[in-house]
Amino acid sequence: MSSTLKAVRGTRDLLPPETALWNRVEATARFVFARYGFGEIRTPILESTELFARGVGEETDIVSKEMYTWEDRARAASEKAQSLTLRPENTAGVVRAYIEHKLGDTGHLQKLYYIGPQFRRERPQKGRYRQFFQIGAEVIGPVTSGSESPLRDAEVLEMLATLLDELGIERASESNGYKGWKLTLNSVGSATDRPRYVAALREALSPIKHLMCEDNQRRAETNPLRVLDSKDEADQELIDRLPKIADYLDDDSKSHFAQVLSALDACGIPYSVNPRLVRGLDYYTRTTFEFTVETGLGTQNALLGGGRYDGLSEMIGGPKAPGIGFAIGEDRLILTLQAQATEAAEKKLDAYIAPMGVEQNAAALSLARDLRREGLSIEVGDGSFRLKKSFEIADRVARSILILGEDEVTSGEITVKNFATGEQRKIARDDLPELLR
Ligand code: HAM
């Protein structure tokens, strides 16, 4: 018998009914993007390897270790052999298309979005695949179109908050135990700030780098910024003591970042600033950001990332065309939604009221009304159940059962059992809301 063939490691089939959720997410994204004036762009999945080497950066993990690259042979005398790569991300491809189609000549700001597969040879685990999907958007244009304005940064971030709201992904707050999304951002400075900062980093790293892990020793030489996003436990203390980019920003960059933050404040979008957020791609300038979530993703908790790339067009041979954008990991977005749905389905009511006979039905309903008005979630049994049966039903749907027999109605003391602790006791009606909460 011949061996069975399986999907390649790190890739997967998406099947119904799960694909219905993917379709819903994509439809919501298209709907939101259209309201902000974005149009769809579809670039090829194959690009020349050089695009990523120059755009994303030769020293990044993506380009140095993770790309699917091969030599595409010439098939005719008129063709040349060429190194091709399956796109590991889509920003470089979008900017290439912007240059190739002279979109800057219109003088207008281009607002483009994409949805599609990307490829990185990473170690597969939950939320991390070798073929994964991104939903992304880019705002790019000549300086005269306003593409450098901090308003664009804030608009992109505000659009993301709206999209996550419309998808039903909660913001982190006290009431959900900080499980929803969190926005972290930073400014990595302009093309002139960065070399000064990198020089300072190199200098600070030089006497201590031999104490660091092998990867960081190499990064300290080749690309010191990458040391900042190192996850190596033992190196964290040393990294925390390195110079901070905020101290190397010029006045323009500082004021740009301050304007982004104040626009976020005006839109009521919560955020925190993390001076170590430099992100793993070399094209970033000024604003960089990430949205993380606690639900469902384990260690792969970066739901999306993005930032400004004012010099990318020039890096790949185009005109000056500042831009900003983001890419959402769609696989991770879906995992987050699924985890939220499971949590919601498992969420139990605060209490189940079990009247012990038809005579107690009216009292049960009145008690339910009072407790619901106190903000508690309550279900009422119909009075025809025996005690044992009531306990079984209540245990499935609620965290506590309230037993309402003749005695309870006359005395005003209700019997309550909490299923988690197993504790059963009588309690005055007025004290119930506090106990159940
Ligand atoms: P990135 O941070 O490399 O940025 O990727 C963006 C998002 O894609 C990540 O936050 C994550 O959710 C998802 N992602 C990345 N790798 C994987 C993987 N192996 N499996 C599953 N999901 C993954 C970029 O790609 C930039 N092009 C974003 C951007 C757009 N910056 C400006 N414009």
Side-chain angles (χ1 to χ4, degrees), residues 62 88-92 114 120 122 127-134 136-138 279-281 283-284 289-291 300 302-309 324-332:
I62 296 177
E89 62 100 54
N90 214 352
T91 308
Y114 49 84
R120 296 184 194 175
E122 295 191 83
R128 196 208 275 152
Y129 310 99
R130 291 180 167 179
Q131 172 174 331
F132 59 99
F133 288 79
Q134 283 186 341
E138 314 291 347
R279 312 233 329 112
L281 303 94
Y283 49 60
Y284 289 116
F289 58 85
E290 253 169 36
F291 283 62
Q300 301 305 312
L303 183 62
L304 69 95
R308 195 164 257 295
Y309 43 86
I324 177 158
F326 63 84
I328 305 173
E330 192 177 0
D331 306 75
R332 296 184 188 179

Side-chain angles (χ1 to χ4, degrees), residues 353 360-372 404 429:
I353 303 178
Q360 284 86 46
N361 272 352
L365 201 61
S366 133
L367 176 61
R369 179 201 59 178
D370 292 352
L371 295 176
R372 286 170 176 151
L404 211 58
R429 186 176 166 136

Side-chain angles (χ1 to χ4, degrees), residues 84-96:
L84 297 183
T85 291
L86 292 182
R87 64 183 186 195
E89 62 100 54
N90 214 352
T91 308
V94 168
V95 176
R96 181 207 39 75

